[in-house]
Amino acid sequence: MEVDIARIQLLTKALDQRTNGTEASDRILEKCKLSRDRIAAPTTTCSAHQEALFARYACDTVGDITFAAQTGLQFSSSSSLTAYISKYSRDLRQVIENTSRFHMFIDPAIAFALRLAGNFATIEAEWKDASFARYHRRTEFLMFAGLARMRTLTQSNFRPIEIRFQHEVGKSREKFQKLAGFPVVFGAERLEIVFAVSSLDLPVPTYDSNLRAHLLEYGERVLAERRSPKQKLRAQVEGLITRSLPGTVIHADEAAANLGMSPRTFTRRLKEEGATYRDIVDDLRCDLAQTFITNGMALSEIAYSLGYADQPAFSTAFKRWTGQAPSTFRSRLD
């Protein structure tokens, strides 16, 4: 699943500035199976997974959980078709509507929609590939980058009422609140940006009706020709498991039924991709456990969230995955 290269370019540049050199970024790019040459022009995309891992590793490297969100607030431009359509839109309402329509061109893993309710409006995000919901640092980067982009397009200090995230960050909530300068909610029911309906009328100074009409027509043709990328079975399974949390991990037979397969076909298809259901569950739990620890969650809460009977059972599994106890992993982050 490919996404706009401009975002990882920005993350790399910000990390270079934060660490006063290129060594840290080069090391992370290598871990993500990338290099500076591979993210430079004329390259236009990278994988969403690589972008997510870079955001995570960058935050870990500088020891700042808000680094990706901070960098998102610096996002100002992109050379994608979606960005140009937004640039020539009339006002913020058109920007949001057009971005919702053509967002798959820059990130097919997530979709956005504008919702209106009384005096409030929301940009509601929904994962088209739910396996990406586990990448909390990337999620924070995307939401703050969206806010920065709206400010750039309207050339205003647009301030939402609040941004809502579904994941938790424990005691780090205050850091995000300070960064944003407005309420940032964690543990919310939906992933969304809430703002006053009146903000929809904010004009876009670069509005050009003729260019917008031309780009919209071209965008519709491209959209009609482009098929949605087919997810691998593993990604679909990760999405099902992620949605079943917190507290429960669905069984393999239930996952198979959800995907319209018999248990035997399900097992065979996973084997063809070099995976087993148990491996996927363990990999996802390990990944989420490390993210939850980084987020500051209590170990007992993590154990429950990942579907373990108690904390000792979780600790045993974590040591099997990583070779260290959860408390040791946490101490190395401090």
Side-chain angles (χ1 to χ4, degrees):
M1 191 169 290
E2 298 294 303
V3 298
D4 185 9
I5 198 71
R7 301 192 304 225
I8 202 168
Q9 289 171 339
L10 175 62
L11 284 162
T12 303
K13 180 179 179 181
L15 186 59
D16 288 344
Q17 293 173 343
R18 183 72 171 264
T19 58
N20 296 315
T22 62
E23 183 178 347
S25 295
D26 289 342
R27 184 171 62 250
I28 294 175
L29 284 169
E30 185 177 357
K31 287 179 69 175
C32 298
K33 299 181 179 179
L34 290 169
S35 66
R36 288 187 186 271
D37 287 342
R38 291 182 63 185
I39 65 169
T43 306
T44 58
T45 63
C46 67
S47 84
H49 182 67
Q50 289 170 320
E51 178 185 78
L53 290 179
F54 191 98
R56 174 190 291 176
Y57 296 149
C59 289
D60 292 345
T61 295
V62 299
D64 183 353
I65 195 173
T66 69
F67 174 76
Q70 289 177 41
T71 306
L73 285 175
Q74 301 173 30
F75 189 74
S76 60
S77 64
S78 167
S79 58
S80 67
L81 173 60
T82 308
Y84 282 116
I85 292 174
S86 295
K87 180 178 180 179
Y88 300 118
S89 296
R90 182 186 63 245
D91 50 30
L92 187 58
R93 180 191 291 269
Q94 279 194 353
V95 167
I96 297 169
E97 291 174 345
N98 292 334
T99 300
S100 300
R101 176 67 175 159
F102 300 106
H103 194 261
M104 72 168 296
F105 295 156
I106 52 176
D107 191 339
I110 193 169
F112 295 92
L114 176 64
R115 313 288 186 202
L116 303 178
N119 294 325
F120 300 100
T122 65
I123 301 172
E124 187 176 315
E126 181 179 0
W127 294 107
K128 297 179 75 174
D129 183 340
S131 66
F132 281 90
R134 61 174 152 158
Y135 295 118
H136 298 171
R137 305 294 82 83
R138 178 179 188 260
T139 303
E140 293 149 5
F141 173 77
L142 292 180
M143 296 298 277
F144 280 98
L147 170 59
R149 186 77 179 121
M150 288 187 283
R151 287 174 172 173
T152 297
L153 288 166
T154 59
Q155 296 181 25
S156 70
N157 188 27
F158 167 66
R159 289 171 61 87
I161 294 169
E162 61 186 23
I163 290 183
R164 298 171 179 168
F165 293 98
Q166 293 169 301
H167 62 268
E168 290 282 4
V169 293
K171 296 178 181 178
S172 295
R173 288 185 179 205
E174 293 181 5
K175 295 179 181 178
F176 285 95
Q177 180 84 25
K178 184 177 180 180
L179 170 67
F182 55 81
V184 181
V185 178
F186 291 90
E189 183 178 346
R190 285 186 288 270
L191 177 62
E192 57 190 353
I193 300 175
V194 184
F195 54 97
V197 168
S198 58
S199 297
L200 292 172
D201 296 326
L202 285 169
V204 177
T206 51
Y207 171 55
D208 186 311
S209 59
N210 291 329
L211 274 174
R212 175 178 172 271
H214 171 73
L215 290 169
L216 282 174
E217 182 182 350
Y218 176 67
E220 292 293 350
R221 289 203 306 270
V222 175
L223 202 61
E225 295 169 358
R226 181 175 296 190
R227 295 181 178 180
S228 297
K230 185 177 180 181
Q231 292 182 29
K232 287 188 176 181
L233 181 57
R234 180 181 185 118
Q236 296 178 62
V237 172
E238 288 177 344
L240 288 173
I241 297 170
T242 302
R243 283 192 289 267
S244 73
L245 298 172
T248 304
V249 173
I250 61 172
H251 295 292
D253 288 355
E254 187 179 352
N258 268 280
L259 295 169
M261 300 180 195
S262 68
R264 180 176 294 181
T265 299
F266 181 65
T267 300
R268 176 177 57 78
R269 289 276 307 280
L270 283 177
K271 186 177 180 180
E272 289 172 356
E273 292 187 8
T276 68
Y277 189 74
R278 182 187 176 95
D279 288 342
I280 294 173
V281 171
D282 275 357
D283 288 349
L284 188 58
R285 276 174 157 170
C286 177
D287 190 73
L288 285 171
Q290 293 178 69
T291 297
F292 289 160
I293 292 173
T294 304
N295 288 0
M297 287 174 61
L299 297 183
S300 58
E301 186 179 356
I302 296 174
Y304 164 75
S305 295
L306 297 180
Y308 286 96
D310 51 37
Q311 186 177 324
F314 162 65
S315 296
T316 298
F318 190 88
K319 191 168 185 178
R320 173 167 55 85
W321 298 329
T322 67
Q324 58 187 315
S327 55
T328 303
F329 180 84
R330 169 165 283 163
S331 67
R332 291 178 177 178
L333 297 173
D334 297 334

